[in-house]
Coordinates of all heavy atoms in Angstrom, one line a residue:
N248 N -21.3 2.9 -7.1 CA -21.6 2.7 -8.5 C -20.7 3.5 -9.4 O -21.0 3.7 -10.6 CB -23.0 3.0 -8.8 CG -24.0 2.2 -8.0 OD1 -23.7 1.0 -7.8 ND2 -25.0 2.8 -7.4
N249 N -19.6 4.0 -8.9 CA -18.6 4.8 -9.6 C -19.1 6.1 -10.1 O -18.6 6.7 -11.1 CB -18.1 3.9 -10.8 CG -16.6 4.0 -10.9 OD1 -16.0 4.3 -9.9 ND2 -16.1 3.7 -12.0
N250 N -20.2 6.6 -9.4 CA -20.6 8.0 -9.7 C -19.8 9.0 -8.9 O -19.6 8.7 -7.7 CB -22.1 8.1 -9.4 CG -23.0 7.2 -10.2 OD1 -22.8 7.1 -11.4 ND2 -23.9 6.6 -9.6
V251 N -19.5 10.1 -9.5 CA -18.8 11.1 -8.7 C -19.8 11.9 -7.9 O -20.8 12.4 -8.5 CB -18.1 12.1 -9.7 CG1 -17.2 13.1 -8.9 CG2 -17.2 11.3 -10.7
V252 N -19.6 11.9 -6.6 CA -20.6 12.5 -5.7 C -20.0 13.5 -4.8 O -20.5 13.7 -3.7 CB -21.4 11.4 -4.9 CG1 -22.3 10.6 -5.8 CG2 -20.4 10.5 -4.2
V253 N -18.9 14.1 -5.2 CA -18.1 14.9 -4.2 C -18.7 16.2 -4.0 O -18.4 16.8 -2.9 CB -16.6 15.0 -4.7 CG1 -16.5 15.8 -6.0 CG2 -15.7 15.4 -3.6
D254 N -19.5 16.8 -4.9 CA -20.1 18.1 -4.7 C -21.3 17.9 -3.8 O -22.4 17.7 -4.2 CB -20.5 18.7 -6.0 CG -21.0 20.1 -5.8 OD1 -20.8 20.7 -4.7 OD2 -21.4 20.7 -6.8
S255 N -21.1 18.0 -2.5 CA -22.2 17.7 -1.5 C -22.0 18.7 -0.3 O -20.9 19.1 -0.1 CB -22.1 16.3 -1.0 OG -20.9 16.1 -0.2
P256 N -23.0 18.9 0.5 CA -22.9 19.7 1.7 C -21.9 19.1 2.7 O -21.2 19.8 3.4 CB -24.3 19.7 2.3 CG -25.2 19.2 1.2 CD -24.4 18.4 0.2
E257 N -21.8 17.8 2.6 CA -20.9 17.1 3.5 C -19.4 17.4 3.2 O -18.6 17.7 4.1 CB -21.1 15.6 3.5 CG -22.4 15.0 4.1 CD -23.6 15.2 3.1 OE1 -23.4 15.4 1.9 OE2 -24.7 15.0 3.6
T258 N -19.1 17.4 1.9 CA -17.7 17.8 1.5 C -17.5 19.2 1.9 O -16.4 19.5 2.4 CB -17.6 17.6 0.0 OG1 -17.8 16.3 -0.4 CG2 -16.2 18.0 -0.5
I259 N -18.4 20.1 1.7 CA -18.2 21.5 2.0 C -17.9 21.7 3.4 O -17.0 22.4 3.8 CB -19.4 22.3 1.5 CG1 -19.5 22.2 -0.1 CG2 -19.4 23.8 1.9 CD1 -20.8 22.7 -0.7
K260 N -18.7 21.1 4.3 CA -18.5 21.1 5.7 C -17.1 20.6 6.1 O -16.4 21.2 6.9 CB -19.6 20.2 6.4 CG -20.4 21.0 7.4 CD -21.4 20.0 8.0 CE -22.1 20.7 9.1 NZ -23.1 19.9 9.7
A261 N -16.8 19.5 5.5 CA -15.5 18.9 5.8 C -14.3 19.8 5.4 O -13.4 20.0 6.2 CB -15.4 17.5 5.1
L262 N -14.4 20.4 4.2 CA -13.3 21.3 3.8 C -13.2 22.5 4.6 O -12.2 23.0 4.9 CB -13.5 21.6 2.3 CG -13.3 20.4 1.3 CD1 -13.4 20.9 -0.2 CD2 -12.0 19.7 1.5
D263 N -14.4 23.0 5.0 CA -14.4 24.2 5.9 C -13.7 23.8 7.2 O -12.9 24.6 7.8 CB -15.9 24.6 6.3 CG -16.5 25.4 5.1 OD1 -15.7 25.8 4.2 OD2 -17.7 25.5 5.2
K264 N -13.9 22.6 7.8 CA -13.3 22.2 9.0 C -11.8 22.1 8.9 O -11.0 22.5 9.7 CB -13.9 20.9 9.5 CG -13.6 20.5 11.0 CD -14.0 21.6 12.0 CE -15.5 21.8 12.1 NZ -15.9 22.9 13.0
M265 N -11.4 21.5 7.7 CA -10.0 21.3 7.4 C -9.3 22.7 7.4 O -8.2 22.9 7.9 CB -9.9 20.6 6.1 CG -8.6 19.9 5.8 SD -8.9 18.9 4.4 CE -7.2 18.4 4.1
K266 N -10.0 23.6 6.7 CA -9.4 24.9 6.6 C -9.3 25.6 7.9 O -8.3 26.3 8.2 CB -10.3 25.8 5.6 CG -9.6 27.1 5.5 CD -10.3 28.0 4.5 CE -9.5 29.4 4.5 NZ -10.2 30.4 3.8
E267 N -10.3 25.4 8.7 CA -10.3 26.1 10.1 C -9.0 25.6 10.8 O -8.3 26.4 11.5 CB -11.5 25.7 10.8 CG -11.7 26.4 12.1 CD -13.0 25.9 12.9 OE1 -13.9 25.3 12.2 OE2 -13.1 26.2 14.1
I268 N -8.7 24.3 10.7 CA -7.5 23.7 11.4 C -6.2 24.2 10.8 O -5.3 24.7 11.5 CB -7.6 22.2 11.5 CG1 -8.8 21.8 12.3 CG2 -6.3 21.6 12.0 CD1 -9.2 20.3 12.3
V269 N -6.2 24.1 9.5 CA -4.9 24.5 8.8 C -4.6 26.0 9.0 O -3.4 26.4 9.0 CB -5.1 24.1 7.3 CG1 -4.0 24.8 6.4 CG2 -5.0 22.6 7.1

Side-chain angles (χ1 to χ4, degrees):
N248 301 320
N249 228 18
N250 296 317
V251 184
V252 291
V253 70
D254 187 7
S255 67
E257 290 81 13
T258 300
I259 293 165
K260 235 177 171 177
L262 294 183
D263 281 345
K264 194 56 69 186
M265 199 170 171
K266 181 177 179 189
E267 188 181 341
I268 293 173
V269 166

